[in-house]
Amino acid sequence: MALALVLMILLVVTPLLFILHTSVTPNDQWNVLAPLQVIMDAELSVVLTNSIILGFWVVAGASILALPMSFLTAKTSLARHKWLDVVLIIPFMTPPYIGSMGWMLFMQRRGFLEQMVPFTEELTPYFFSLFGMVTIMSLHLFPFLYLILRNALRRIGAGYEEAGAVYGGGFVYRFRRIFVPLLLGSYAMGALLVFVKTIAEFGTPATFGRKIGYHVLTSEIHRFTSSWPIDFSKATALASVLLATCLIFWYGQNLISRRYDYQTLGGKGSKVKLIHLKGWGRFTAWGYIVFLLATAIGIPYFSIIVASLQKLRGDGLRWGNFTLEHYQRLLTWGSPGMEALLNSLGLALITATIAVVIGTFLAMQIKHASRVSERVTDVFSLLPNTVPGIVTVVGLILLWNAPWMPIKIYNTYGMVVLTYVVLFLPYTVQYVKSGYQQIDASLTNAGRVFGGTPWYTFRRVVLPLLVPGMMAGWMMTFTISIRELVASLMILPPSMKVSATYIYAQFEQGEVSLGMAMAVISVGLTTIVLAVMNYRGADRT
């Protein structure tokens, strides 16, 4: 247990302490108020305000999208269409910077929308504004809120509605006095997740936000650590402010969740009553679903795929203007695109494997989190998923680039792997811990009764039962590692590129078709891996 705790302190806690220390010691002089003084600067205070405003608007946008959809799939006859739950995860699984690029290609001057519907050119200035940024991020993050609200709605049995109807309450009254209070705790948790993900997001602010001149904390932290003149004191001050903002909202969410925590499931079970949609109701519901899928999935993927096939962007949507040449250039052995793709695959494979080994070890040490040391280790293992990724990356840079550090891995391949492992370790820990907690002690006791050594019991009893969780953690880590942008931009050695930085660079340099071809290949690879792993997992069960 001591080794697990030390490991978490070294990998997760120490980088965050370095950020706090650097932020309060500008010019090597102790000043506790330094982060506040930095953020009170007129230019940087606007950045903080922009982040918070963006967070609240995206929560509002995600709520507008998620609430009707969750009600349709939980309380109406559309609940039998299970495929909707799978399809609605696609926006979240799409890297945000790729989705933003797709929307930009679709809505820009002479973009795909204007080429197909010329009179829509007047919409362009309105979209390339805060409204467009909120729209893009809401469409990316609403699945968080949707899944939480859908599950909460399904736990509300028909008895609550029938009780309200017996006393004369109409649908609107029942929704306002029954559904809303019962959903408030779950909504607070989902809204907080969306808010924190928004203010911690880097991909969309780095692409769309920079184009419209809307700067937020994450984009400014990246600017201070990557553009001359480098200013780590300001970067860490902004990182500490971002961290504090996230923690404050986490605390607020916990207060609301405890205040509005209701037990809706009892020993008697609950009857589910579905509203059977007919006529205009059914037409409206499917119209909303089609609209949501078209905007969240159809438009960005249409733009990405079409752009990857175009010979010349200036020739537009013309039949003779499509080619597979960009894919051929990318997949040619020795090309920069192929090197970037192989680097991504190699890093993702190594990261996922190391994360599974460390995560399994930690999960087995945490066990049921009954002791203080186990609970502390459990909290530390979740920190990378709670703290904004760019904050963790800045902390790792400060720690492993310190002059006294005996192991010089900064600016090496090993630093990239270490950063990825720290960022994505919580996935494996949680998946494996969930499986480990379901193993009854009688199984391991039976192994000991029949003379099995601890190693034999672990290898023949425990490990096979942990394999599904380990594979799920490996798959999630691999999928996210292969598309990671912010960490790659900040810690990759100068001569090294991965698929995410290659896409970003090609889009910035005007080689849009090559960048979008890489995006299609990257998303396709992760989809294939997910499909194969799910198929193998189904075979095992």
Side-chain angles (χ1 to χ4, degrees), residues 71 87 139 199 205 249 373 424 450 480 529:
F71 185 84
V87 173
L139 289 169
I199 65 174
F249 278 94
S373 58
F424 310 130
F450 286 96
I480 300 178
V529 170

Side-chain angles (χ1 to χ4, degrees), residues 362-382:
L362 292 173
M364 295 188 65
Q365 296 300 312
I366 294 170
K367 299 176 182 175
H368 295 279
S370 55
R371 295 186 297 178
V372 174
S373 58
E374 294 173 356
R375 290 196 292 270
V376 171
T377 304
D378 191 18
V379 171
F380 287 169
S381 72
L382 286 173

